Amino acid sequence: MSGGLVALLDDVAAIAKVAASSLDDIAAAAGKAGTKAIGIVVDDTAVTPRYVVGFTPDRELPIIWRIAKGSLRNKIVFILPAALLLSQFVPWAMTPLLMVGGAYLCYEGAEKLYEAVTGHQEVPEESAAKLSSTSHEETMVAGAIRTDFILSAEIMAISLAEVADQPLLSRALILVLVAVLITALVYGLVGIIVKTDDFGLRLAKSGSGAARSIGRGLVKGMPVVMAALSVIGTAAMLWVGGHIIIDGLNKFGFSAPAHFLHDLALAAGHALPAVEAVVEWLVETLGSALVGVVVGAIIVAIMHLLPSKKKH
């Protein structure tokens, strides 16, 4: 009897080790998949704070929490099942869908560049009362969740492409983990960014001279941080979108852009061996961003020639 119990315990321990190993593999795969989507994560983090502009401080975190829940619902309830079905039954469709999403990112990035150059950014004219109203809050939350859906779809598609060789159940678990971690990361950072100026204001009003200086620095520095995030987000969209398009063309047999960029990066890296890896990454990133600008500019030009655009 004791021998049977020992054998059973050994079997349980072996199963536990296998399960722990599987969890480690899933966590590692989720980390790798999430890293590939970091450019869109940066953009998501940069875009979201604008949806809480104009609200009273007590509503900022609740609004971010509502958007975060909507983002997680987008990823797990809508995008994940569709992505898994596509990868299981029509895996060839993932590349063109990724390229469509990449083209959208290029368009968004190029549109921001166009607005920056021409000064055509939209300026809100709502009154303070309207900005603080319940209907305005509902509109902003709904708009943020719609925007997030597109970015979340890209995050999940890029992540799925990295684990396409995994079994279906592993793919599902990895993508759920990616969805939860990335959502927590993005909206955690957004919450910190949005409340930093409030924290700085409190410090500026405190009794300590050093604390007041830090607080004033935070209040003055946040507009710079927000502007930098906007620039980084735009650059990330162009870089990621261009890279997705180059990679998709390569998979469809049109490998000239990918090979040219790779060879150029290798040549630049060999010219500066002390920082070879950095130079190679920089050249490939700039090359992808340039492709993103070209593709995005073409789409922007088309969109601005459409009759619906002329009406505005």
Side-chain angles (χ1 to χ4, degrees):
M1 179 70 176
S2 61
L5 180 59
V6 170
L8 177 61
L9 291 175
D10 285 343
D11 290 342
V12 170
I15 292 171
K17 288 180 180 178
V18 171
S21 176
S22 297
L23 288 174
D24 287 342
D25 291 342
I26 288 171
K32 179 182 176 183
T35 300
K36 287 290 185 178
I38 195 65
I40 303 172
V41 171
V42 171
D43 180 58
D44 210 354
T45 306
V47 166
T48 305
R50 70 188 174 104
Y51 288 99
V52 297
V53 171
F55 290 99
T56 55
D58 62 299
R59 292 306 305 155
E60 289 174 343
L61 289 182
I63 289 171
I64 291 170
W65 173 239
R66 290 182 63 191
I67 298 171
K69 288 191 294 183
S71 174
L72 194 59
R73 184 170 62 249
N74 281 343
K75 293 181 181 75
I76 293 179
V77 177
F78 301 115
I79 298 169
L80 177 59
L84 288 174
L85 285 172
L86 284 173
S87 67
Q88 188 68 20
F89 298 107
V90 280
W92 58 265
M94 293 303 298
T95 296
L97 286 175
L98 268 174
M99 292 179 72
V100 170
Y104 175 80
L105 289 176
C106 294
Y107 162 69
E108 282 285 290
E111 180 75 7
K112 289 184 179 181
L113 287 179
Y114 172 78
E115 290 174 352
V117 171
T118 60
H120 287 169
Q121 293 97 328
E122 293 182 5
V123 179
E125 298 178 352
E126 295 90 347
S127 65
K130 184 177 179 181
L131 285 171
S132 301
S133 68
T134 302
S135 61
H136 180 69
E137 179 175 325
E138 294 297 326
T139 300
M140 295 304 285
V141 169
I145 292 173
R146 282 195 300 270
T147 300
D148 173 88
F149 185 90
I150 297 167
L151 296 172
S152 290
E154 279 299 295
I155 289 170
M156 298 298 278
I158 291 171
S159 300
L160 179 59
E162 289 299 306
V163 296
D165 58 341
Q166 298 284 336
L168 180 62
L169 180 58
S170 294
R171 262 179 280 159
L173 291 174
I174 290 166
L175 290 180
V176 168
L177 187 56
V178 167
V180 172
L181 292 178
I182 284 184
T183 302
L185 173 64
V186 168
Y187 292 98
L189 287 173
V190 169
I192 292 171
I193 290 168
V194 167
K195 301 306 290 183
T196 295
D197 56 349
D198 292 339
F199 177 67
L201 192 58
R202 287 198 190 113
L203 284 179
K205 292 179 179 179
S206 68
S208 167
R212 285 199 301 271
S213 297
I214 294 172
R216 286 193 295 268
L218 288 174
V219 172
K220 291 178 181 178
M222 282 314 297
V224 177
V225 171
M226 295 297 290
L229 276 176
S230 178
V231 172
I232 292 169
T234 300
M237 281 193 290
L238 294 169
W239 155 45
V240 175
H243 176 76
I244 290 171
I245 289 173
I246 291 171
D247 188 58
L249 290 173
N250 188 39
K251 288 177 180 176
F252 280 124
F254 187 60
S255 57
H259 287 166
F260 173 77
L261 194 55
H262 179 68
D263 292 342
L264 185 63
L266 285 179
H270 291 158
L272 297 167
V275 285
E276 183 173 355
V278 174
V279 171
E280 287 181 10
W281 177 85
L282 187 60
V283 170
E284 291 202 5
T285 299
L286 291 175
S288 297
L290 181 59
V291 171
V293 169
V294 172
V295 172
I298 292 171
I299 301 173
V300 167
I302 293 171
M303 294 300 292
H304 280 265
L305 289 173
L306 293 178
S308 59
K309 280 286 181 182
K310 289 182 179 179
K311 290 176 184 178
H312 295 289

